[in-house]
Amino acid sequence: MYKVEVEKGNLSFSAAHFISFGGRCERLHGHNYAVSVILEGNLTEDRYVFDFVELKKTIRRICDRLDHHFLLPMKSQHLDIKEADEEWEIRFENRRYVFPAEDVLVLPVDSITAERLAEYVCGQLIELVKEQEGLSLTSITVGVEEAPGQTAFYQHSF
Ligand code: ZN
């Protein structure tokens, strides 16, 4: 079994969010998120688990989509979310936010925690690499660092 890991460099994105839980809701704020990825598996005919350059390019594409957006948790059980003309309206109790649609990235998750972001990035990565032939991956682990020393991981095993 082999393992490759990529991190640091430009594998990062900046985004705004707030988390609501148990009747509370954080204020709107942002993070500089850093993404790391570990792939485990057997070697391809070219004698690697995955080409480092290609892997970083692929992760970079996912980060670029997230970068400089407000991340909207479409499946939130706490937020009242409405889509109007070119806008998203989000309510939590007596608070009301209105965002231009172009500033918003809608994610199919229930909360924008680092754990859910790691799961989302992992799903996107699987979509982008599954077409590649000759790979022999046994697992993908994605880490999303929300702040220095605070990283959540999600692992998918094949
Ligand atoms: Zn936060």
Side-chain angles (χ1 to χ4, degrees):
M1 184 71 71
Y2 297 85
K3 174 164 126 173
V4 295
E5 179 174 15
V6 292
E7 58 168 357
K8 303 200 173 100
N10 58 3
L11 304 179
S12 59
F13 62 94
S14 302
H17 81 153
F18 52 78
I19 292 175
S20 51
F21 49 93
R24 289 174 48 206
C25 186
E26 295 179 343
R27 283 194 197 145
L28 179 64
H29 64 280
H31 295 279
N32 295 314
Y33 293 97
V35 175
S36 59
V37 171
I38 296 169
L39 301 182
E40 288 183 291
N42 290 306
L43 300 186
T44 64
E45 282 184 1
D46 297 329
R47 306 288 180 262
Y48 43 51
V49 175
F50 203 103
D51 182 338
F52 281 123
V53 175
E54 280 305 314
L55 180 56
K56 285 202 266 191
K57 243 189 242 173
T58 305
I59 300 165
R60 186 67 243 160
R61 278 171 64 190
I62 299 169
C63 289
D64 283 348
R65 281 186 221 146
L66 292 157
D67 199 32
H68 289 191
H69 283 93
F70 169 71
L71 305 179
L72 177 62
M74 205 51 208
K75 295 182 179 171
S76 171
Q77 294 167 354
H78 306 288
L79 303 176
D80 181 15
I81 300 168
K82 284 199 189 79
E83 187 177 14
D85 279 349
E86 308 291 311
E87 285 179 349
W88 285 95
E89 184 188 277
I90 301 149
R91 286 174 186 269
F92 179 85
E93 294 177 352
N94 59 356
R95 284 153 72 171
R96 175 174 165 266
Y97 299 89
V98 179
F99 293 94
E102 65 177 75
D103 288 13
V104 174
L105 185 69
V106 177
L107 298 184
V109 299
D110 53 4
S111 187
I112 307 295
T113 58
E115 288 85 342
R116 286 296 199 216
L117 282 175
E119 184 178 359
Y120 172 76
V121 170
C122 190
Q124 296 287 297
L125 190 55
I126 291 168
E127 285 302 308
L128 291 170
V129 304
K130 73 179 185 193
E131 303 296 322
Q132 294 202 27
E133 287 178 20
L135 293 178
S136 185
L137 299 178
T138 55
S139 75
I140 295 182
T141 304
V142 173
V144 169
E145 185 189 75
E146 192 179 69
Q150 272 173 236
T151 305
F153 294 91
Y154 180 80
Q155 183 175 46
H156 176 89
S157 297
F158 295 99

